[in-house]
Amino acid sequence: MDNQRTTDERVLSVRIETADHGCATLRVCFERATAGPERRGEDHELQWRGKEQDLRDRARALAAVHDLVPVWEDRSWLSGTTRRPPASLYRTRER
C-alpha cells in the first residue's frame, strides 16, 4: 500500500493593497489540502511588495489562471461619470 501523501493547492483570493509612490502589496490567500486518511484544508497567505502596476499585472494573471472573479469593494465610482477603477480583490466564485 502506498503511504505517500500529496498536497493540492487552490488559490482562494488575490488582493492588492496600494501604498504611496506607486508601490503596493499583493496578498495571495490559498488553501492547501492534504490527501490521505484525514484530508483537511488549511489557509495560507503569501505576500509580495513592489511596483503597483507590476503587481496588478500579476494579480490579473493569477485571476485568469485560477478562474477568480474581480470584486470592487468601493462603489463610489458608480455615482460619477468616471470609468471603473481596477479591482483590488479577486476571489473564487464560491466565496
Side-chain angles (χ1 to χ4, degrees):
M1 177 177 231
D2 185 12
N3 291 333
Q4 189 174 19
R5 298 173 74 146
T6 60
T7 59
D8 294 319
E9 293 179 350
R10 182 172 72 118
V11 174
L12 302 173
S13 67
V14 176
R15 178 180 293 277
I16 300 275
E17 297 172 349
T18 59
D20 295 332
H21 310 295
C23 293
T25 300
L26 175 65
R27 297 178 187 274
V28 177
C29 180
F30 63 98
E31 177 183 66
R32 181 175 290 153
T34 304
E38 64 272 344
R39 182 172 175 82
R40 65 184 198 284
E42 297 175 358
D43 287 358
H44 299 275
E45 184 178 276
L46 294 174
Q47 294 183 38
W48 290 271
R49 292 188 54 86
K51 292 182 181 177
E52 182 179 355
Q53 189 57 51
D54 293 345
L55 294 179
R56 285 196 182 278
D57 292 343
R58 183 180 286 186
R60 281 192 296 274
L62 283 168
V65 167
H66 296 282
D67 194 29
L68 305 177
V69 295
V71 176
W72 286 270
E73 298 169 307
D74 178 8
R75 300 194 184 283
S76 63
W77 60 271
L78 287 172
S79 61
T81 58
T82 60
R83 294 182 65 214
R84 180 169 47 196
S88 60
L89 173 64
Y90 297 86
R91 66 180 180 201
T92 63
R93 296 175 192 277
E94 295 98 35
R95 289 203 164 189

